Amino acid sequence: MPVDLTTAERRMWDAYRRGETCDLRLGPAERGEPDTAAEPSDGAAGALPRPRAGGGEPEARGARPADGDADPGRTVRAEVVALLLLDGPPSEPGRVAALKLTGALVTGLLNLSGGHVQPYVELRECHFDHQLLFPACHFTTVRMVRCEVPRIEAARLNSEGDLHLPQCTVPGGIRLTDAHIGTDLVLNQLTVGQSRSGHSIAADGLTVAQDVEAELLESTGEISLRSARIGGRLSLRGSALHNPYGRYALNAARITVEHTLYLSSGWFSGYLGGGTPPAGVHTQRFTSEGGIRLDDGRFGNAVIADKAHFRLTGTQQLSLRRVQTPELRLVLDEPPSGRVSLAGARVGNLTDRPSSWPGRGGIDLAGFSYESLSSPSPVPLDQRIAWLADATPEYNPEPYETLAQVLRHGGEDSQAREVLLAKQRRRRETLPLAGMMWGWLQDVTVGYGYRPGRAALWMAVLWAAGTLYFGLGHPPEPVDDRAWPHWNPALFALDLLLPVVDLGQSHAWRLGGAAQWVAAAMTMVGWVLASTVVTGASRLLRRG
């Protein structure tokens, strides 16, 4: 043991060898130890808090003293902590050495860069006056709970076990670039500010073997998880991300999450996370003041954004371009205030509601494919078609065809035809005047072929009109004086309307004048209407 240790450092040193917790919130008298330093102690449980120097309100148990009011009974030097962790004394017989420190004021720079820390590390309610330097440091397990740290530099950190930072305050940001966590990364109820680069958590290339729990986290700046790999789930339930003046509040392009990404509500249940709230408990929604980027992400189970708030400004987006996931659940009470992009995404099941989507021009569905569609409550088809119209300010047939295919696979063939009819109507808006007129005629008469019943009705009306027209006039002259059928206006009109089928009437009589033009018009319209009826019937047969 170094000879120049203070009382607090000696207590920490002895507790390290025994593997016990050194609680510097308590003075030696409360611990049953000799009062060698003759220092006033903090209040123990059930005792009155120690008054602050100079009067005023008493200091809460474990609270940080005001500037210039350092407590020698709680102060330890960072160089002593580093000595313990990197080259500490052997444990007492039958004990396992570990640094378990509570309520300490650590002064100086704690630099463990490139070091190998073998003992277990647990720091609770500790205050550091300098940043922590852990680049390329190797740990077994590190747990820091309710600590205050100006900044944490831990690029390429390697932890065999957990890295816990719940309820900590880190105003200068955290850097975990290319870090490797052997089990879980826990950031629940963490309050983190941004560095000079604008990042609150810079963790590009992060690898976590199991879960990343970041529930009820409060971040100011950009959280960067580009190319991160997470073996379990990534939970941001109940978190509040603030970066209104930057581009992204969460930048997780090319991330791989083996289980589920949660951007949903959370609730307070201790620092180990929200989990599933019991009935009646107050929950906190996930909110993002800034863009969310999940481009090219891979999610093994689902992406769940349930009752979240996305407040986007300017060019900020909720971007899920080329995402791949078995399920996307986007169930919001109010639409994002910016653009939502699912261009090129591939989803198994899409669960949404109309209130999840922004208005016209705020949705990008180009190349978006999904196999099934569901909603917490029934969504009328006209709202689905309006969703496609909002997603295609400029005509694009692909979103319509995708929705029609999904509806057809779900047994909704009539709804699929309505979607394809809406596609043709959108296409008509892009045509020149002649094409628009022809398209309008097709729509009115046969519904572009997607309403065969209307075509049959038109044929019946034209048949009746033709029968009446030819029946009121004089019978025409026969083509062959020796062999001609009996004149029948109804059969003659039907023979004109039905292509291919020959009833022996249309070629047996010689027409002239207006009747000739009427017969020609009925023949041409009959071809169009009959082909529409046949197409609809064949579609039904294929469906059967």
Side-chain angles (χ1 to χ4, degrees):
M1 179 185 297
V3 296
D4 61 341
L5 298 184
T6 65
T7 301
E9 291 168 350
R10 287 178 181 273
R11 290 173 55 189
M12 177 180 67
W13 193 280
D14 292 337
Y16 170 86
R17 296 191 60 200
R18 295 191 298 269
E20 297 178 348
T21 299
C22 176
D23 192 347
L24 296 181
R25 298 173 302 176
L26 305 177
E30 284 83 355
R31 293 175 54 88
E33 300 175 358
D35 191 1
T36 56
E39 293 287 345
S41 63
D42 293 337
L48 294 176
R50 180 177 61 85
R52 291 175 59 94
E57 295 295 328
E59 180 184 328
R61 182 174 182 264
R64 170 189 170 188
D67 294 338
D69 189 25
D71 186 349
R74 297 174 57 189
T75 303
V76 296
R77 291 168 291 175
E79 60 188 68
V80 179
V81 176
L83 180 62
L84 277 177
L85 295 178
L86 298 177
D87 193 18
S91 62
E92 291 185 358
R95 300 294 184 96
V96 177
L99 179 62
K100 300 178 181 179
L101 187 59
T102 301
L105 309 176
V106 183
T107 60
L109 179 63
L110 181 56
N111 188 349
L112 303 178
S113 301
H116 190 100
V117 178
Q118 185 63 34
Y120 170 85
V121 180
E122 182 177 297
L123 306 175
R124 292 177 177 268
E125 300 181 24
C126 294
H127 169 71
F128 295 81
D129 61 5
H130 285 72
Q131 66 176 335
L132 301 182
L133 295 181
F134 296 161
C137 186
H138 189 283
F139 289 94
T140 52
T141 293
V142 181
R143 294 184 177 178
M144 299 175 62
V145 182
R146 294 187 293 276
C147 293
E148 296 182 25
V149 186
R151 176 172 171 79
I152 300 177
E153 281 280 354
R156 302 179 305 283
L157 175 142
N158 191 308
S159 175
E160 297 178 6
D162 298 339
L163 174 59
H164 286 202
L165 299 171
Q167 299 183 355
C168 289
T169 301
V170 189
I174 301 172
R175 187 182 181 194
L176 289 169
T177 307
D178 297 317
H180 176 82
I181 310 300
T183 50
D184 296 330
L185 173 61
V186 177
L187 305 174
N188 293 331
Q189 302 180 43
L190 172 70
T191 301
V192 57
Q194 62 183 353
S195 64
R196 282 178 286 185
S197 65
H199 292 91
S200 57
I201 300 177
D204 296 341
L206 172 71
T207 301
V208 180
Q210 296 184 19
D211 297 336
V212 175
E213 298 283 349
E215 301 182 357
L216 302 166
L217 174 145
E218 185 168 351
S219 165
T220 302
E222 178 182 319
I223 298 178
S224 185
L225 293 170
R226 293 177 299 178
S227 301
R229 299 186 63 87
I230 299 171
R233 64 180 182 174
L234 170 57
S235 179
L236 289 161
R237 288 184 287 199
S239 294
L241 312 185
H242 309 280
N243 195 23
Y245 306 110
R247 189 172 184 183
Y248 302 114
L250 173 62
N251 186 356
R254 302 180 301 280
I255 192 172
T256 300
V257 178
E258 296 296 336
H259 198 263
T260 303
L261 168 63
Y262 293 96
L263 304 176
S264 53
S265 299
W267 67 292
F268 291 91
S269 63
Y271 71 86
L272 288 178
T276 302
V281 72
H282 175 71
T283 60
Q284 178 172 302
R285 295 173 182 263
F286 172 86
T287 60
S288 174
E289 296 181 350
I292 302 290
R293 184 189 184 199
L294 302 175
D295 298 350
D296 300 294
R298 301 293 182 269
F299 303 90
N301 187 55
V303 176
I304 298 177
D306 193 351
K307 298 180 180 179
H309 287 167
F310 298 97
R311 302 185 178 97
L312 312 176
T313 59
T315 60
Q316 294 174 347
Q317 297 185 9
L318 174 57
S319 180
L320 293 90
R321 294 182 176 89
R322 299 175 297 280
V323 161
Q324 295 185 22
T325 178
E327 179 179 1
L328 172 60
R329 183 178 179 87
L330 191 65
V331 181
L332 309 179
D333 295 334
E334 61 182 39
S337 54
R339 187 174 175 83
V340 176
S341 178
L342 286 165
R346 297 174 60 187
V347 172
N349 178 66
L350 172 63
T351 302
D352 70 340
R353 61 166 53 134
S355 60
S356 302
W357 303 99
R360 189 173 183 85
I363 315 172
D364 184 5
L365 300 180
F368 175 45
S369 64
Y370 47 99
E371 299 175 2
S372 60
L373 191 61
S374 61
S375 179
S377 58
V379 178
L381 182 61
D382 58 347
Q383 293 190 5
R384 285 290 178 201
I385 295 175
W387 170 56
L388 297 180
D390 291 338
T392 55
E394 297 181 358
Y395 171 68
N396 182 5
E398 188 176 14
Y400 290 90
E401 293 169 356
T402 301
L403 177 58
Q405 182 179 6
V406 169
L407 292 173
R408 188 176 295 114
H409 287 170
E412 302 292 344
D413 193 65
S414 61
Q415 293 190 8
R417 292 198 301 271
E418 289 295 323
V419 172
L420 294 176
L421 176 58
K423 180 193 76 170
Q424 293 294 342
R425 288 171 174 169
R426 285 296 309 280
R427 176 179 175 271
R428 186 174 69 208
E429 298 173 0
T430 66
L431 299 176
L433 181 60
M436 292 180 62
M437 296 299 296
W438 173 244
W440 179 83
L441 181 61
Q442 286 183 298
D443 192 1
V444 172
T445 55
V446 296
Y448 284 98
Y450 295 110
R451 292 180 175 174
R454 181 182 294 181
L457 179 62
W458 275 108
M459 288 191 69
V461 170
L462 290 176
W463 183 25
T467 300
L468 182 63
Y469 176 82
F470 292 112
L472 294 177
H474 294 287
E477 295 294 330
V479 173
D480 188 349
D481 294 336
R482 293 174 296 178
W484 49 275
H486 179 73
W487 168 248
N488 189 322
L491 287 178
F492 183 79
L494 185 61
D495 201 3
L496 292 174
L497 286 173
L498 292 178
V500 180
V501 179
D502 187 2
L503 301 180
Q505 288 284 336
S506 61
H507 300 292
W509 304 97
R510 183 182 294 112
L511 300 177
Q516 188 176 10
W517 288 100
V518 171
M522 291 185 66
T523 301
M524 290 187 294
V525 174
W527 272 98
V528 174
L529 295 180
S531 62
T532 302
V533 173
V534 171
T535 301
S538 62
R539 186 184 295 114
L540 292 176
L541 290 174
R542 286 198 304 270
R543 179 64 185 167

